[in-house]
Amino acid sequence: MNASLKFAIASLYAAACLSAMAGSPRIEFRHPAVPVLSRLTHSPALRMTAIADGNATILKGMTLDFGKSTDPTDIRSIGLYVSADSTSFDRAHCIASATTDGQAKVKLALNAPLSADTTYMWLGVTLRDSIDLTHRISLKCTRIDTDRGTLRFRSYTSPLLRTGVALHTAGRDGVASCRIPGIATAPDGTLLAIYDARYDSSRDLQGNIDIALQRSLDGGSTWTPMQPVLDMGTWGGLAEKHNGVSDACILVDRNTGRIFVAGLWMHGMLDADGKWIEGLDSTSDYWIHQWKGRGSQPGTDIRSTCQFLITHSDDGGVTWSFPDNITAHTKRPEWWLFAPAPGQGITLSDGTLVFPTQGRDSKGIPFSNITYSTDHGRTWTTGNPAYDDVTECNAAELSDGSIMLNMRDNRNRGHLSPNGRRVCTTTDLGRTWTEHPTSRKVLTEPTCMASLYRHEYIAPDSSKASVLLFANPVHHKLRRNLTLRASLDDGATWPEANSIMFDETRGMGYSSITAINPGAIGILYESGLADMVFVRIELNEILKQK
C-alpha cells in the first residue's frame, strides 16, 4: 500500500471515528496532504468540520497536543481559522492563536459560535525559521469545550506531517510573485534554486522579470537571500518591464563543476502583426507573450525574436558571468521561437551537456527538443523537434545511454482520456526520435510543466543503483495533487506503490527535482501555500526499502 493511500485511509478513519456524543455537534477531523512550512505564518495542518445538531453552540476552548512531533520545539505558535468551505484555508479569519513557549500542549481560549449548519475550521502551525527537514509534525486535538459542556470523541492517531520551507510568498523581498522553479546540486552539495522573480505581477513575459537564485548549504533547511543571476536591466534604453527574462533552466557540468543557467530574454514587444513597436516606455500598457499570437517571430534579430541567454558560475553560484547570447548559433531562422525548457539540464555519462528546450516552428506550432554541448558549454547544437504541439519538457539519460524527453502535451488539455505525458527517446542527440511505449498512456497531466530526474543511490546490497523520478500534478484538469513517482525500469512502468502525493493544494504546479544526498531528494515547486516551496523526501520512503 503506497504512502498516499495510507495517508488517505488514516484521514478517513479519523473522520469516521471522531463523532461527538449524542445530542451535541459532530466534529470531523482531516489532516491534508501538505507539508508544514517554515518561513510561513500558520501552515494548515488540520481541518475540523463541526456539524451542528440544531442547538446553538459556542466553542469555549480547545486543547492541542503535538508531543509526538520529532521535536515539539520546532513549533512556535498555533492559530485557529474559520473558512467558507472545506477546501479553502482563509488566512483573513483567524479567531484564536497561541504561542507554544516550548511546550508540547497548548490550550486555545475561544468564544466562537458554531453556525446553524456546518462550520469549517483549520488549525495552522507556525514553525521556527530553521528546522531539520527530516523532522515531522504531529498535531492532535485532545479536547473541545463548549458552553454546553465538553465534546467527547474517540481517540485517534495523528499522522506525522512532512516539513518544508516556503522560499517565497507573494510580496516578499519586493517581488510580487515567483514562478517557474529549477533546482540543481553543485559538486560540493550546495543546492541551487532558481526561479522567475516577477516584480510587478504574476503575469508571464513580457514584464519586469529577472531570473533569481537562492542557495542552501545545509540540505535545504536554510537559504541565502534572493540574488538576480539573469537581469537585462534597461538594455537598449527600454524600461525593465520591456527587458524581462524568464523560463530558466539550470545545468551543472559534473566534470568541470561549472554551473549554467539559461533563460529567455524578451526585448521590447511585437504588435499583432509581428512588427517591432517603437516608442515603448515605462507607461506603456500593451502586453504580448512569446507563445501568444506573433509575440516572437522568425529570424534571430533582437527586434524580431526572443533571445536564448546562458550565464555561468565557477564558484558554486556565488557570482555569475555576463550572459552569452546563443540565439544566432542555435535557433533555426524559420522558427518563430527557440527557448530553454524550465527546470534542470543534465550531464550525460560521456560528459555531454544537455538542456531541454522548446520553441515554435515555421508555422508557429510548439515543439520540444534538446540542445547539447560536447565541449563543456563553449558551443551548443540544437536537435530536431521530438514532437509537435508539445512545450515544456525534461530530459533524463536511461541505462542504455539513450535520452528520454518527457513533454507537456497540449492535446491533454482538459481531457480525461486519452491523457498522458508525451514521451520520446533519442540515441543520436536529437537528430531522430522514437516515441516511447508509454507516451500519452500513463502519467496523467493537466497540461502543465513536470520534472523528470535520474537519481543515483546505494542499493541495500551496497551496489550502485539508479531510479527514474517524476513529479507533476496528478489530475486531468486541475493543477493539484502534486505527486512524486518512481520507476525502476527506465520509465517502462510507474507503480502506484512507488508514489507519494506530497501536496494536494491547487497551485501553479511546476516542479523540479534534485539530489540532496544518495538517500534523499529535494523538490522545489509551486504550491497553493506559497509561490515557491522546498521539501525533502527520503528515497526509502518512495522505494519502500528498509
Side-chain angles (χ1 to χ4, degrees):
M1 185 181 297
N2 68 59
S4 298
L5 183 57
K6 288 181 179 178
F7 191 95
I9 290 174
S11 296
L12 291 173
Y13 177 79
C17 291
L18 299 178
S19 57
M21 59 187 295
S24 63
R26 187 172 82 252
I27 306 292
E28 297 176 350
F29 293 62
R30 180 179 182 272
H31 292 274
V34 295
V36 181
L37 302 177
S38 66
R39 304 193 70 208
L40 183 70
T41 300
H42 290 159
S43 288
L46 176 62
R47 188 190 73 201
M48 298 179 291
T49 304
I51 302 170
D53 65 347
N55 298 308
T57 304
I58 300 175
L59 295 182
K60 304 300 290 185
M62 187 177 295
T63 302
L64 308 169
D65 186 343
F66 33 87
K68 293 188 181 297
S69 301
T70 308
D71 182 356
T73 65
D74 285 338
I75 301 172
R76 290 172 49 192
S77 67
I78 299 285
L80 180 65
Y81 295 76
V82 293
S83 61
D85 54 54
S86 62
T87 59
S88 61
F89 174 63
D90 190 349
R91 296 185 183 280
H93 293 92
C94 181
I95 60 174
S97 63
T99 57
T100 63
D101 297 323
Q103 302 300 308
K105 289 186 178 181
V106 165
K107 183 172 182 179
L108 293 176
L110 302 169
N111 189 31
L114 296 179
S115 74
D117 185 5
T118 302
T119 304
Y120 299 103
M121 298 174 288
W122 291 83
L123 281 167
V125 175
T126 300
L127 302 179
R128 292 186 290 113
D129 285 345
S130 173
I131 67 165
D132 185 330
L133 295 184
T134 65
H135 287 186
R136 296 294 180 261
I137 302 300
S138 173
L139 174 61
K140 185 176 181 179
C141 179
T142 59
R143 181 183 175 109
I144 298 176
D145 295 316
T146 77
D147 62 334
R148 297 165 56 195
T150 300
L151 296 184
R152 292 170 53 193
F153 45 80
R154 298 173 187 173
S155 180
Y156 72 105
T157 301
S158 169
L160 295 175
L161 306 176
R162 190 183 312 281
T163 54
V165 182
L167 267 72
H168 192 271
T169 55
R172 185 184 290 173
D173 300 322
V175 178
S177 173
C178 288
R179 284 220 54 209
I180 323 296
I183 193 168
T185 306
D188 66 356
T190 298
L191 301 181
L192 304 154
I194 58 168
Y195 47 78
D196 282 13
R198 301 185 174 187
Y199 295 97
D200 298 334
S201 73
S202 61
R203 192 169 67 179
D204 294 335
L205 288 175
Q206 178 67 290
N208 184 8
I209 303 171
D210 296 336
I211 302 303
L213 168 80
Q214 288 183 257
R215 301 162 60 244
S216 176
L217 308 179
D218 56 11
S221 292
T222 61
W223 296 82
T224 60
M226 183 183 75
Q227 67 178 102
V229 297
L230 275 174
D231 175 6
M232 296 309 292
T234 56
W235 197 92
L238 293 184
E240 289 185 300
K241 64 185 282 186
H242 297 133
N243 274 299
V245 188
S246 179
D247 290 349
C249 189
I250 187 167
L251 190 161
V252 177
D253 187 328
R254 298 298 169 192
N255 294 301
T256 68
R258 175 168 283 188
I259 303 161
F260 299 89
V261 170
L264 186 70
W265 173 32
M266 179 182 277
H267 177 64
M269 284 186 287
L270 306 182
D271 64 18
D273 296 320
K275 305 299 182 183
W276 171 263
I277 299 175
E278 298 283 358
L280 290 171
D281 60 31
S282 60
T283 65
S284 303
D285 58 6
Y286 176 79
W287 178 83
I288 199 167
H289 187 241
Q290 71 270 23
W291 294 98
K292 179 182 178 182
R294 295 183 176 273
S296 184
Q297 287 291 276
T300 60
D301 183 76
I302 196 169
R303 292 192 171 201
S304 301
T305 193
C306 294
Q307 305 292 297
F308 195 125
L309 305 182
I310 300 179
T311 182
H312 69 265
S313 173
D314 290 319
D315 56 10
V318 177
T319 61
W320 293 83
S321 70
F322 187 82
D324 292 324
N325 188 337
I326 68 167
T327 309
H329 306 293
T330 54
K331 181 179 185 281
R332 297 179 189 174
E334 68 271 20
W335 288 349
W336 288 23
L337 174 70
F338 180 56
Q344 183 185 152
I346 60 174
T347 302
L348 301 182
S349 54
D350 67 0
T352 300
L353 307 180
V354 176
F355 272 120
T357 45
Q358 58 184 334
R360 299 173 71 182
D361 65 15
S362 60
K363 297 180 180 179
I365 304 300
F367 66 82
S368 302
N369 66 345
I370 60 172
T371 297
Y372 64 91
S373 173
T374 57
D375 55 13
H376 302 290
R378 286 188 290 275
T379 61
W380 297 89
T381 303
T382 301
N384 291 320
Y387 218 90
D388 67 343
D389 208 14
V390 290
T391 55
E392 294 156 333
C393 54
N394 265 200
E397 184 177 18
L398 303 183
S399 57
D400 64 359
S402 63
I403 299 170
M404 172 179 280
L405 197 64
N406 184 297
M407 297 164 272
R408 168 178 172 165
D409 194 314
N410 290 329
R411 298 167 185 83
N412 291 324
R413 193 178 302 276
H415 295 293
L416 181 61
S417 180
N419 186 300
R421 300 282 293 183
R422 184 72 63 180
V423 182
C424 293
T425 59
T426 179
T427 58
D428 54 14
L429 293 174
R431 285 188 289 275
T432 60
W433 293 91
T434 301
E435 191 164 10
H436 194 265
T438 64
S439 184
R440 287 211 77 204
K441 296 175 183 176
V442 297
L443 302 178
T444 297
E445 68 158 352
T447 313
C448 179
M449 181 265 196
S451 47
L452 182 71
Y453 181 77
R454 175 167 290 283
H455 180 72
E456 297 178 346
Y457 67 101
I458 304 300
D461 63 1
S462 299
S463 63
K464 291 184 178 180
S466 67
V467 59
L468 205 58
L469 300 172
F470 175 81
N472 84 320
V474 181
H475 197 282
H476 74 284
K477 187 176 181 179
L478 304 178
R479 295 183 180 185
R480 62 182 308 159
N481 303 335
L482 269 159
T483 300
L484 178 68
R485 300 174 184 268
S487 173
L488 294 168
D489 54 13
D490 274 346
T493 61
W494 298 90
E496 191 67 24
N498 300 119
S499 66
I500 298 170
M501 183 171 66
F502 57 90
D503 194 322
E504 68 179 47
T505 62
R506 184 176 178 180
M508 299 309 295
Y510 284 34
S511 64
S512 188
I513 306 169
T514 196
I516 295 176
N517 56 50
I521 60 101
I523 306 177
L524 181 70
Y525 70 97
E526 300 170 334
S527 171
L529 302 177
D531 288 351
M532 208 58 58
V533 167
F534 178 82
V535 295
R536 171 184 174 130
I537 296 178
E538 305 302 313
L539 198 63
N540 289 344
E541 186 179 351
I542 192 164
L543 296 185
K544 307 299 186 288
Q545 296 175 343
K546 295 183 179 180

